[in-house]
Amino acid sequence: MATVAINLATGTFQQEEIIVGIDLGTTNSLVAYVHPDSRQPVAINDQGRGSIVPSVVHFPADGAEPVVGTEAREFLLTDPQRTIYSVKRLLGKSYRDLGNHADQLGYKVIDDNSESLVKIRVEDRFYSPIELSADILKELRARAEHALKTPVNRAVITVPAYFNDSQRQATRDAGRLAGLEVLRIVNEPTAAALAYGIGLDPSDEKTVAVYDLGGGTFDISILRIQQGIFEVLSTNGDTYLGGDDFDRVVAEYWTSAFQLPAAFRSNPHLQQQLRLAAEMAKKYLSQHDDFTTHLTDEAGQNIAVMLTRAQFNDLIRPLVDRTIAACRQALQDSTLAATDLDAVLLVGGSTRVPLVYDAVSAFFGQPANNSLNPDEVVALGAAIQADILAGNRRDVLLLDVTPLTLGIETLGGLLDPIIPRNSKIPTKAGRQYTTSIDGQVNLKIAVYQGERDLVSQNRKLGEFVLTGIPAMPAGLPKVDVNFLLNADGILQVEAIELRSNTRQQVEIKPQYGLTDEQVEQMLMDSLVNAKEDVAARLLIEARTAAEQLLYQVGNFTKKNRQHLTEEELTATEAQVGKVRSALAGPERDPILKAMDELDELTRPYAERVMNISIQQAMAGKKIG
Ligand code: ADP
Ligand code: MG
């Protein structure tokens, strides 16, 4: 599909649409593109809001459209049940995959059936992590379109190197749901290497370590790059370790060192204030030696808190040491020595912390490379990959490798590998099988991914049954099973019984992946149900507000009976009755109307009572 477009932002003719590169992060997401004139990758900064979009989705209480980014992040502590963060952790996962990590989130993760994909519940609506990721992608897409003044329909999206097929497929589905054709899913460390220009020259032969410390996750990958092929030699890390933990240890230190009031642990607004101040201190100390600010408690009192870089380093040292232990393991798994590495690349906002830089450089025995903006480097690399796919760099051929072995189940529950891990993709491989029982007419083909010998310890991607095998003695039928793995790591499996030429061809979508129809259905549902959802939500909001008002009015009349006349009391009671009967009904407008009337009626009494109590308070006070 060739389209011709004029880019209004740059005033140039575009042969092809721009393909963007997207870093869909756990904490922050970004979109980048290769500028058609400068040929340089740039992160898109729409309206001077910065290039970083926090990966947070907030569903406003009034049922309005979800809000994404910095604005949504403000609600993390004050409205946690309607504010979804770290959704990337849930992507492509079943409830069983999550284990007890589901309890640690501020929002509700639903377990309808431990084998199927998790859902997130916000009041009376359910959202899949795919839909929520799509909300983030839609925001990125909108920003790109706004900044570039051109439609954006195609993208490259990055994922961690350890993401399995199911998680990759879920990422792809999220892209589709956001209206993006996802041309390629690329490993984050591969993108980082590309951004540093490594692998762009096919004669390049390099081995690099990519150290990525983000907000909530840590990944270390050792890559070998030769002839445009990026091979993941090993990965390690900790999916629950990142810059947020640095903020937490600072907050804990202040709480005890400055004896902060207990409310800083319980009141969401104070917790938020403390957390933000801790993050501010951390960032400030990346550049300065000491930091001072003040917190404001419930009574409006200021409490000064401070932190030096040396204190900060002591607080985070155990956390940084854990990342180094993971680096040691990754290096060992790659069977390389630190001296074999041509470069150590730093990725992720938390690598700005000087102690992190020092520890990584010391461990690998060479200064780590942090010359690119660590927040942007993955998105920039994705943009380069997009540019390659757009055909703008014809000299470069980029291939990826499959991170895990693919095979089928054979007798005794064993995995028979067909495509070994680290095979270059796209790739094709096959094997011949036969039946084990006389007269067997069906053969079950179950496809697994993983490195273990027993299929039960690997991940099942799917299965199908080859039917119509002519009845023959065991061992006579010849069944060819062929695997075709495309450039995105999506697998196609074909089985043929050679004697009868019975064949069956199946695209093995990962077990948890969505079919095209399911994605379309989800799109349709969200359109059809949108109106109803909003109406239902508004009704619930109105009912809650009415119940609160009734409670307040009840309290008020009980406390101030002596200041109210008989008529006022009767009128109030009558209006309370009207609100109650509206509440029992199915409509929102009568509830709002009755509430307004009750509010109107009682406001003058409330003001009068307030004046009385102020006068009494004044009278009791001696002046001077
Ligand atoms: P992710 O890849 O997980 O989405 P990022 O790479 O965007 O996350 O990293 C976000 C983290 O980086 C946050 O914890 C943030 O506080 C931290 N960070 C950003 N800037 C700095 C800085 N100047 N000094 C220290 N930490 C920083
Ligand atoms: Mg990241």
Side-chain angles (χ1 to χ4, degrees):
M1 177 191 62
T3 48
V4 178
I6 297 169
N7 184 330
L8 296 177
T10 58
T12 53
F13 241 134
Q14 267 168 233
Q15 283 310 107
E16 290 286 335
E17 278 177 79
I18 283 183
I19 308 175
V20 294
I22 293 179
D23 171 7
L24 183 61
T26 310
T27 312
N28 294 312
S29 297
L30 287 87
V31 53
Y33 78 119
V34 169
H35 195 285
D37 299 333
S38 72
R39 311 294 319 138
Q40 292 301 310
V42 266
I44 291 172
N45 176 355
D46 183 25
Q47 301 176 318
R49 289 184 284 182
S51 55
I52 293 174
V53 178
S55 307
V56 183
V57 182
H58 173 70
F59 293 91
D62 62 7
E65 283 291 291
V67 181
V68 174
T70 310
E71 217 184 307
R73 198 174 52 174
E74 315 273 300
F75 292 98
L76 272 178
L77 282 174
T78 52
D79 196 6
Q81 301 196 338
R82 269 197 278 263
T83 310
I84 316 301
Y85 66 97
S86 287
V87 69
K88 185 173 177 179
R89 295 189 192 285
L90 309 180
L91 207 51
K93 291 202 176 162
S94 68
Y95 204 75
R96 184 195 284 166
D97 289 336
L98 277 186
N100 55 7
H101 287 305
D103 314 338
Q104 295 166 10
L105 300 161
Y107 46 88
K108 291 198 188 94
V109 179
I110 299 302
D111 142 38
D112 43 3
N113 162 0
S114 64
E115 285 296 332
S116 60
L117 282 174
V118 294
K119 289 248 173 189
I120 289 151
R121 182 172 173 185
V122 178
E123 296 203 327
D124 51 350
R125 273 220 70 178
F126 294 90
Y127 299 92
S128 72
I130 294 173
E131 290 171 282
L132 295 160
S133 302
D135 285 333
I136 297 167
L137 291 172
K138 276 184 214 158
E139 172 71 21
L140 295 170
R141 182 179 175 215
R143 286 191 182 201
E145 290 186 332
H146 191 257
L148 305 178
K149 302 193 171 44
T150 176
V152 171
N153 299 314
R154 298 193 287 171
V156 166
I157 306 181
T158 59
V159 296
Y162 60 78
F163 254 31
N164 64 32
D165 263 19
S166 163
Q167 292 165 299
R168 285 165 199 263
Q169 185 66 47
T171 305
R172 176 173 285 281
D173 290 339
R176 259 195 302 172
L177 209 52
L180 290 168
E181 186 189 342
V182 182
L183 296 184
R184 186 70 67 87
I185 298 287
V186 181
N187 289 331
E188 287 163 11
T190 298
L194 275 177
Y196 273 102
I198 296 169
L200 286 177
D201 177 349
S203 64
D204 251 0
E205 275 198 37
K206 291 254 160 71
T207 307
V208 301
V210 180
Y211 177 104
D212 181 348
L213 189 60
T217 59
F218 167 62
D219 301 318
I220 171 76
S221 318
I222 312 282
L223 303 185
R224 170 166 295 147
I225 299 121
Q226 47 188 347
Q227 291 157 359
I229 298 164
F230 287 72
E231 184 180 354
V232 182
L233 297 182
S234 62
T235 64
N236 207 295
D238 188 332
T239 47
Y240 288 88
L241 176 61
D244 297 348
D245 298 294
F246 295 180
D247 306 345
R248 187 176 43 75
V249 292
V250 169
E252 278 166 10
Y253 165 73
W254 279 345
T255 306
S256 64
F258 296 93
Q259 298 179 353
L260 299 182
F264 277 96
R265 291 180 207 270
S266 52
N267 176 329
H269 293 277
L270 295 188
Q271 277 176 290
Q272 173 113 307
Q273 189 197 146
L274 177 60
R275 197 188 63 74
L276 291 176
E279 186 179 10
M280 198 196 288
K282 171 185 77 176
K283 290 185 178 174
Y284 190 83
L285 292 174
S286 290
Q287 248 133 46
H288 303 86
D289 286 334
D290 43 81
F291 173 86
T292 308
T293 189
H294 65 256
L295 302 167
T296 310
D297 71 10
E298 274 172 319
Q301 296 290 330
N302 283 345
I303 306 164
V305 291
M306 50 221 102
L307 189 69
T308 66
R309 186 188 279 176
Q311 287 170 326
F312 176 65
N313 287 350
D314 287 343
L315 290 171
I316 64 166
R317 192 163 282 117
L319 300 169
V320 176
D321 286 347
R322 274 165 60 193
T323 70
I324 298 300
C327 292
R328 187 169 293 121
Q329 189 60 49
L331 204 53
Q332 198 177 325
D333 291 348
S334 72
T335 68
L336 294 177
T339 47
D340 297 325
L341 298 174
D342 296 300
V344 178
L345 309 178
L346 293 186
V347 179
S350 302
T351 59
R352 288 217 180 81
V353 172
L355 181 71
V356 170
Y357 176 87
D358 293 343
V360 175
S361 301
F363 174 74
F364 287 106
Q366 60 175 294
N369 195 339
N370 62 354
S371 56
L372 291 177
N373 178 336
D375 300 319
E376 295 182 348
V377 47
V378 169
L380 297 179
I384 293 173
Q385 172 68 276
D387 197 44
I388 293 168
L389 294 175
N392 297 333
R393 299 179 188 228
R394 291 180 202 283
D395 49 328
V396 195
L397 172 71
L398 267 192
L399 293 175
D400 228 327
V401 295
T402 174
L404 294 168
T405 298
L406 294 160
I408 68 171
E409 177 177 0
T410 54
L411 232 48
L414 288 175
L415 177 76
D416 198 26
I418 293 186
I419 297 180
R421 73 183 285 261
N422 278 337
S423 300
K424 293 157 202 165
I425 50 179
T427 186
K428 215 177 150 172
R431 239 165 209 257
Q432 205 168 76
Y433 298 90
T434 187
T435 52
S436 55
I437 301 168
D438 286 340
Q440 187 175 339
V441 292
N442 294 334
L443 189 66
K444 186 181 85 178
I445 303 197
V447 182
Y448 285 84
Q449 180 182 43
E451 305 312 309
R452 311 288 292 268
D453 288 337
L454 289 175
V455 292
S456 56
Q457 290 170 332
N458 291 311
R459 189 181 186 92
K460 189 178 194 172
L461 296 179
E463 65 173 42
F464 68 99
V465 179
L466 177 68
T467 55
I469 301 171
M472 283 182 259
L476 266 193
K478 283 186 179 167
V479 179
D480 262 359
V481 175
N482 295 313
F483 277 27
L484 175 67
L485 189 59
N486 73 17
D488 299 314
I490 307 274
L491 181 67
Q492 220 160 2
V493 178
E494 182 189 54
I496 316 162
E497 201 290 302
L498 294 177
R499 291 177 195 276
S500 59
N501 209 19
T502 310
R503 83 173 51 218
Q504 200 133 323
Q505 210 172 11
V506 177
E507 172 154 346
I508 296 276
K509 285 262 175 103
Q511 195 181 21
Y512 302 138
L514 299 174
T515 63
D516 287 359
E517 294 82 75
Q518 280 171 318
V519 171
E520 268 158 36
Q521 192 58 48
M522 279 164 73
L523 263 171
M524 291 296 285
D525 287 351
S526 62
L527 291 175
V528 172
N529 295 332
K531 256 199 186 139
E532 263 175 39
D533 281 350
V534 171
R537 200 179 308 199
L538 287 177
L539 178 61
I540 293 170
E541 300 294 341
R543 283 189 175 142
T544 318
E547 268 153 20
Q548 270 167 1
L549 181 65
L550 288 179
Y551 174 78
Q552 284 163 0
V553 170
N555 255 355
F556 174 81
T557 42
K558 217 189 293 163
K559 272 196 198 149
N560 301 296
R561 198 161 272 279
Q562 74 273 25
H563 302 306
L564 300 174
T565 66
E566 231 13 83
E567 292 93 281
E568 286 172 337
L569 281 171
T570 335
T572 305
E573 238 169 71
Q575 190 57 37
V576 162
K578 279 191 194 163
V579 176
R580 280 195 203 291
S581 56
L583 249 182
E587 271 169 33
R588 174 172 171 261
D589 286 350
I591 300 177
L592 295 182
K593 183 163 171 284
M595 277 171 69
D596 277 346
E597 286 165 5
L598 179 60
D599 200 20
E600 285 285 292
L601 181 74
T602 52
R603 194 178 310 126
Y605 321 163
E607 277 166 11
R608 202 176 69 227
V609 170
M610 190 111 91
N611 285 338
I612 295 173
S613 53
I614 289 173
Q615 276 162 14
Q616 285 173 343
M618 297 287 277
K621 252 193 194 146
K622 291 194 187 99
I623 294 172

